[in-house]
Amino acid sequence: MMESSAMDFSHVYETIYELTPLSLWLCDFSGLHESIPALKEQSGGDLRGYLEQNPEVVWELSGKVQVLNINQHALRLFECERKEEFFASAESVFIPESLPLFIEQIIALARGEYFFQAESPVQTVKGRRIHIMFATRLFPELMESRTIGLSWQIDITERKAMEEALQRSNHELEQFAYVASHDLQEPLRIITSFAELLHRRFHHVLDERGAKHMSYVIDGTKRMQGLINDLLALSRLNLERRPHAPVDCSTLIDDVLQTLEVLVEERGARITRDPLPTIIAEPQRFRQVFQNLIANALKFHGEKPPQIHIGARHAGHEWILSIADNGIGIPRNQLENIFAIFKRVHSRQEYPGSGIGLAIVRKIVHQHGGRVWVESEEGKGSTFYFSVPDKQP
Ligand code: ADP
């Protein structure tokens, strides 16, 4: 059996150290635990804000962190030849941008957490800026007065650069989609009005085939108008942000059901709901989320009249809202895809639509910091779920 002496422990960490790309830290956080309550009082409750404005406090605390060892992987990462070189300049790896993250860790430590994982820009010993992902695990139980931590780091500079490039090109694409759909509206409007005019004034001089062709033109222009409107709505989501406000989901649903009243009656739909929460969101956008999901639940119905249930449950720090139907369902292999733009599973003839509704739902939910997913069984029905972080009104 291993005794809990420093010698035995060093043997253990030497072994781990050989196996994984990590550096090893020895931290004395005993002072930290004691100083946090005083700091909290001094900061008037806003410890994070206080520490952010007074970085010297952090440095004073971080001064107690001592790097014990660093392996070859970490040496290469921080661009130094010898360990001594790293030890001499270990403090310069933190740059101002990484400070807030460091502060978060200190706050987490004070709360008694012992594991962090994060991404941060740092600086190598040669002064080159890189982006790393790291995971740190502290082992307070292994030593009496000090805490041992193992920190594992990998260089993600290239991945970060790719993410930024992707974000830029996504932004350009969004702008393009907006400008294109906006500018396409005008010529399309002219085509639509003149096609309708031709149809009204000259349908009597057209033979049967001519009239049929004319109706294809009109149908096509209408569909295109729908597509352009939806595309414009989707790209507007990126360009215009609106203020958040308390949104009573129950009132919102009443409002949506009023808009969908004719459809509800036509289909003989029965709609039930749980008690619904008040969330903090962009009201019009959330209305859109409910409207798109409920309209789909009404649209993709099977033989029986639609039965729709709007559910809500609280889990952790979020609300999970759901729209369940007893409709035609979605094939299992399509469940992942249906939130993509223009993705449609069912035929346009049977179920008209643009394939943009769910892309809009996903965008809005993501913009609010939530997730969206679906469970479904073909022939039985689908349940669409989305989460919203629970911020108190
Ligand atoms: P649209 O309804 O305009 O076709 P959406 O983006 O809203 O576009 O939906 C994409 C596709 O997902 C639909 O064409 C349909 O195949 C499938 N779908 C969405 N909601 C449901 C539902 N409640 N039941 C069955 N299939 C659905």
Side-chain angles (χ1 to χ4, degrees), residues 338-370:
I338 56 162
F339 293 96
I341 184 166
F342 297 134
K343 184 71 200 175
R344 310 193 71 247
V345 182
H346 305 100
S347 84
R348 174 167 297 119
Q349 281 69 32
E350 263 184 288
Y351 301 99
S354 63
I356 299 180
L358 288 180
I360 290 180
V361 166
R362 180 173 66 174
K363 185 95 210 176
I364 296 174
V365 171
H366 284 179
Q367 283 181 340
H368 283 79

Short mmCIF file of all heavy atoms in Angstrom, two decimals, residues 338-370:
data_model
loop_
_atom_site.label_atom_id
_atom_site.label_comp_id
_atom_site.label_asym_id
_atom_site.label_seq_id
_atom_site.Cartn_x
_atom_site.Cartn_y
_atom_site.Cartn_z
N ILE A 338 -32.06 17.73 -40.74
CA ILE A 338 -33.22 18.56 -41.09
C ILE A 338 -33.12 20.03 -40.64
O ILE A 338 -33.88 20.84 -41.10
CB ILE A 338 -34.55 17.97 -40.59
CG1 ILE A 338 -34.48 17.75 -39.10
CG2 ILE A 338 -34.93 16.70 -41.31
CD1 ILE A 338 -35.86 17.59 -38.53
N PHE A 339 -32.13 20.32 -39.78
CA PHE A 339 -31.99 21.73 -39.39
C PHE A 339 -31.16 22.53 -40.40
O PHE A 339 -31.03 23.74 -40.28
CB PHE A 339 -31.34 21.83 -38.00
CG PHE A 339 -32.23 21.30 -36.92
CD1 PHE A 339 -32.11 20.00 -36.46
CD2 PHE A 339 -33.23 22.09 -36.38
CE1 PHE A 339 -32.94 19.48 -35.49
CE2 PHE A 339 -34.08 21.58 -35.40
CZ PHE A 339 -33.93 20.29 -34.95
N ALA A 340 -30.58 21.83 -41.38
CA ALA A 340 -29.75 22.53 -42.38
C ALA A 340 -30.65 23.29 -43.35
O ALA A 340 -31.78 22.85 -43.64
CB ALA A 340 -28.89 21.53 -43.12
N ILE A 341 -30.12 24.39 -43.85
CA ILE A 341 -30.90 25.21 -44.76
C ILE A 341 -31.26 24.43 -46.03
O ILE A 341 -30.44 23.67 -46.53
CB ILE A 341 -30.15 26.53 -45.05
CG1 ILE A 341 -31.00 27.45 -45.91
CG2 ILE A 341 -28.81 26.28 -45.71
CD1 ILE A 341 -30.47 28.86 -45.95
N PHE A 342 -32.45 24.59 -46.52
CA PHE A 342 -33.02 23.97 -47.73
C PHE A 342 -33.23 22.46 -47.59
O PHE A 342 -33.61 21.81 -48.56
CB PHE A 342 -32.16 24.22 -48.98
CG PHE A 342 -32.06 25.67 -49.34
CD1 PHE A 342 -30.84 26.24 -49.68
CD2 PHE A 342 -33.18 26.49 -49.35
CE1 PHE A 342 -30.74 27.57 -50.01
CE2 PHE A 342 -33.09 27.82 -49.69
CZ PHE A 342 -31.86 28.37 -50.01
N LYS A 343 -32.94 21.90 -46.41
CA LYS A 343 -33.10 20.46 -46.27
C LYS A 343 -34.57 20.12 -46.07
O LYS A 343 -35.21 20.63 -45.16
CB LYS A 343 -32.28 19.96 -45.08
CG LYS A 343 -32.29 18.47 -44.92
CD LYS A 343 -31.49 17.80 -45.99
CE LYS A 343 -31.88 16.34 -46.13
NZ LYS A 343 -31.23 15.67 -47.23
N ARG A 344 -35.12 19.26 -46.95
CA ARG A 344 -36.49 18.82 -46.81
C ARG A 344 -36.52 17.30 -46.95
O ARG A 344 -35.78 16.74 -47.75
CB ARG A 344 -37.39 19.46 -47.87
CG ARG A 344 -37.23 20.96 -47.96
CD ARG A 344 -38.32 21.63 -48.76
NE ARG A 344 -39.57 21.60 -48.05
CZ ARG A 344 -40.62 20.92 -48.43
NH1 ARG A 344 -40.57 20.18 -49.50
NH2 ARG A 344 -41.74 20.93 -47.72
N VAL A 345 -37.37 16.67 -46.20
CA VAL A 345 -37.41 15.22 -46.25
C VAL A 345 -38.64 14.75 -47.04
O VAL A 345 -38.60 13.76 -47.74
CB VAL A 345 -37.48 14.62 -44.82
CG1 VAL A 345 -37.46 13.11 -44.88
CG2 VAL A 345 -36.33 15.14 -43.98
N HIS A 346 -39.72 15.52 -46.92
CA HIS A 346 -40.96 15.08 -47.55
C HIS A 346 -41.24 15.88 -48.82
O HIS A 346 -40.72 16.97 -48.99
CB HIS A 346 -42.11 15.23 -46.53
CG HIS A 346 -41.82 14.49 -45.26
ND1 HIS A 346 -41.35 15.11 -44.13
CD2 HIS A 346 -41.88 13.17 -44.96
CE1 HIS A 346 -41.16 14.20 -43.18
NE2 HIS A 346 -41.48 13.02 -43.66
N SER A 347 -42.04 15.30 -49.71
CA SER A 347 -42.17 15.89 -51.05
C SER A 347 -42.87 17.26 -51.02
O SER A 347 -43.76 17.51 -50.22
CB SER A 347 -42.93 14.95 -51.97
OG SER A 347 -44.32 15.15 -51.78
N ARG A 348 -42.41 18.13 -51.95
CA ARG A 348 -42.95 19.48 -52.02
C ARG A 348 -44.43 19.46 -52.41
O ARG A 348 -45.20 20.29 -51.96
CB ARG A 348 -42.13 20.29 -53.02
CG ARG A 348 -42.69 21.66 -53.29
CD ARG A 348 -41.74 22.56 -54.03
NE ARG A 348 -40.53 22.82 -53.28
CZ ARG A 348 -39.32 22.49 -53.68
NH1 ARG A 348 -39.15 21.89 -54.82
NH2 ARG A 348 -38.28 22.78 -52.96
N GLN A 349 -44.80 18.48 -53.27
CA GLN A 349 -46.20 18.41 -53.73
C GLN A 349 -47.12 18.18 -52.53
O GLN A 349 -48.13 18.84 -52.38
CB GLN A 349 -46.38 17.27 -54.74
CG GLN A 349 -45.91 17.60 -56.14
CD GLN A 349 -44.39 17.73 -56.20
OE1 GLN A 349 -43.68 17.07 -55.46
NE2 GLN A 349 -43.91 18.61 -57.07
N GLU A 350 -46.72 17.26 -51.67
CA GLU A 350 -47.58 16.93 -50.53
C GLU A 350 -47.50 17.99 -49.43
O GLU A 350 -48.48 18.33 -48.79
CB GLU A 350 -47.16 15.59 -49.95
CG GLU A 350 -47.98 14.43 -50.43
CD GLU A 350 -47.53 13.18 -49.72
OE1 GLU A 350 -46.42 12.70 -50.04
OE2 GLU A 350 -48.25 12.73 -48.83
N TYR A 351 -46.27 18.42 -49.17
CA TYR A 351 -46.05 19.35 -48.05
C TYR A 351 -45.23 20.55 -48.52
O TYR A 351 -44.01 20.51 -48.48
CB TYR A 351 -45.28 18.64 -46.92
CG TYR A 351 -45.99 17.43 -46.40
CD1 TYR A 351 -45.62 16.16 -46.84
CD2 TYR A 351 -47.01 17.54 -45.46
CE1 TYR A 351 -46.26 15.03 -46.37
CE2 TYR A 351 -47.66 16.42 -44.99
CZ TYR A 351 -47.28 15.16 -45.45
OH TYR A 351 -47.92 14.05 -44.98
N PRO A 352 -45.89 21.59 -49.00
CA PRO A 352 -45.13 22.74 -49.53
C PRO A 352 -44.28 23.40 -48.46
O PRO A 352 -44.61 23.35 -47.27
CB PRO A 352 -46.22 23.68 -50.03
CG PRO A 352 -47.49 23.21 -49.45
CD PRO A 352 -47.32 21.79 -49.04
N GLY A 353 -43.18 23.99 -48.89
CA GLY A 353 -42.33 24.69 -47.92
C GLY A 353 -40.98 24.99 -48.54
O GLY A 353 -40.66 24.51 -49.62
N SER A 354 -40.18 25.81 -47.83
CA SER A 354 -38.90 26.24 -48.38
C SER A 354 -37.72 25.49 -47.80
O SER A 354 -36.62 25.53 -48.32
CB SER A 354 -38.73 27.74 -48.10
OG SER A 354 -38.69 27.93 -46.70
N GLY A 355 -37.92 24.80 -46.68
CA GLY A 355 -36.78 24.12 -46.05
C GLY A 355 -35.91 25.09 -45.26
O GLY A 355 -34.74 24.79 -44.96
N ILE A 356 -36.45 26.27 -44.91
CA ILE A 356 -35.64 27.25 -44.17
C ILE A 356 -36.14 27.39 -42.73
O ILE A 356 -35.42 27.86 -41.85
CB ILE A 356 -35.65 28.62 -44.91
CG1 ILE A 356 -35.04 28.43 -46.30
CG2 ILE A 356 -34.85 29.68 -44.16
CD1 ILE A 356 -34.98 29.68 -47.13
N GLY A 357 -37.40 26.97 -42.48
CA GLY A 357 -38.01 27.18 -41.16
C GLY A 357 -37.16 26.66 -40.00
O GLY A 357 -36.96 27.37 -39.01
N LEU A 358 -36.66 25.44 -40.13
CA LEU A 358 -35.89 24.87 -39.02
C LEU A 358 -34.49 25.51 -38.91
O LEU A 358 -33.94 25.58 -37.82
CB LEU A 358 -35.76 23.35 -39.16
CG LEU A 358 -37.04 22.55 -38.90
CD1 LEU A 358 -36.79 21.06 -39.09
CD2 LEU A 358 -37.58 22.82 -37.51
N ALA A 359 -33.95 25.95 -40.06
CA ALA A 359 -32.64 26.64 -40.02
C ALA A 359 -32.81 27.94 -39.22
O ALA A 359 -31.93 28.32 -38.43
CB ALA A 359 -32.14 26.93 -41.42
N ILE A 360 -33.96 28.61 -39.39
CA ILE A 360 -34.25 29.84 -38.64
C ILE A 360 -34.37 29.51 -37.14
O ILE A 360 -33.80 30.19 -36.29
CB ILE A 360 -35.53 30.53 -39.18
CG1 ILE A 360 -35.25 31.10 -40.57
CG2 ILE A 360 -36.03 31.60 -38.22
CD1 ILE A 360 -36.42 31.81 -41.22
N VAL A 361 -35.10 28.43 -36.84
CA VAL A 361 -35.26 28.02 -35.44
C VAL A 361 -33.89 27.79 -34.80
O VAL A 361 -33.57 28.29 -33.72
CB VAL A 361 -36.10 26.72 -35.35
CG1 VAL A 361 -36.02 26.08 -33.99
CG2 VAL A 361 -37.56 27.02 -35.71
N ARG A 362 -33.04 27.02 -35.50
CA ARG A 362 -31.72 26.68 -34.94
C ARG A 362 -30.88 27.93 -34.71
O ARG A 362 -30.27 28.10 -33.67
CB ARG A 362 -30.99 25.73 -35.89
CG ARG A 362 -29.62 25.34 -35.37
CD ARG A 362 -28.96 24.29 -36.20
NE ARG A 362 -28.64 24.79 -37.53
CZ ARG A 362 -27.96 24.10 -38.43
NH1 ARG A 362 -27.55 22.89 -38.15
NH2 ARG A 362 -27.70 24.61 -39.61
N LYS A 363 -30.92 28.84 -35.70
CA LYS A 363 -30.12 30.07 -35.58
C LYS A 363 -30.56 30.87 -34.35
O LYS A 363 -29.75 31.34 -33.56
CB LYS A 363 -30.31 30.89 -36.86
CG LYS A 363 -29.46 32.10 -36.93
CD LYS A 363 -28.22 31.77 -37.70
CE LYS A 363 -27.07 32.60 -37.25
NZ LYS A 363 -25.83 32.25 -37.91
N ILE A 364 -31.87 31.05 -34.20
CA ILE A 364 -32.38 31.86 -33.09
C ILE A 364 -32.02 31.21 -31.75
O ILE A 364 -31.55 31.88 -30.82
CB ILE A 364 -33.91 32.08 -33.19
CG1 ILE A 364 -34.23 32.88 -34.45
CG2 ILE A 364 -34.45 32.79 -31.96
CD1 ILE A 364 -35.72 33.04 -34.75
N VAL A 365 -32.22 29.91 -31.65
CA VAL A 365 -31.93 29.22 -30.39
C VAL A 365 -30.44 29.33 -30.06
O VAL A 365 -30.06 29.64 -28.93
CB VAL A 365 -32.40 27.74 -30.46
CG1 VAL A 365 -31.91 26.97 -29.26
CG2 VAL A 365 -33.92 27.68 -30.53
N HIS A 366 -29.58 29.13 -31.07
CA HIS A 366 -28.14 29.27 -30.83
C HIS A 366 -27.78 30.69 -30.40
O HIS A 366 -26.96 30.89 -29.52
CB HIS A 366 -27.33 28.89 -32.09
CG HIS A 366 -27.28 27.41 -32.31
ND1 HIS A 366 -26.64 26.83 -33.37
CD2 HIS A 366 -27.82 26.37 -31.59
CE1 HIS A 366 -26.77 25.50 -33.29
NE2 HIS A 366 -27.48 25.23 -32.23
N GLN A 367 -28.41 31.67 -31.04
CA GLN A 367 -28.11 33.06 -30.67
C GLN A 367 -28.49 33.33 -29.21
O GLN A 367 -27.96 34.24 -28.59
CB GLN A 367 -28.86 34.02 -31.59
CG GLN A 367 -28.20 34.15 -32.95
CD GLN A 367 -28.92 35.13 -33.87
OE1 GLN A 367 -30.09 35.43 -33.67
NE2 GLN A 367 -28.22 35.62 -34.87
N HIS A 368 -29.42 32.55 -28.68
CA HIS A 368 -29.82 32.74 -27.28
C HIS A 368 -29.03 31.82 -26.34
O HIS A 368 -29.36 31.70 -25.17
CB HIS A 368 -31.32 32.48 -27.11
CG HIS A 368 -32.16 33.62 -27.61
ND1 HIS A 368 -32.43 33.83 -28.93
CD2 HIS A 368 -32.77 34.64 -26.94
CE1 HIS A 368 -33.18 34.90 -29.06
NE2 HIS A 368 -33.40 35.42 -27.87
N GLY A 369 -28.03 31.14 -26.89
CA GLY A 369 -27.19 30.29 -26.04
C GLY A 369 -27.82 28.92 -25.74
O GLY A 369 -27.43 28.27 -24.78
N GLY A 370 -28.79 28.51 -26.56
CA GLY A 370 -29.44 27.21 -26.31
C GLY A 370 -29.08 26.17 -27.36
O GLY A 370 -28.26 26.41 -28.25
#
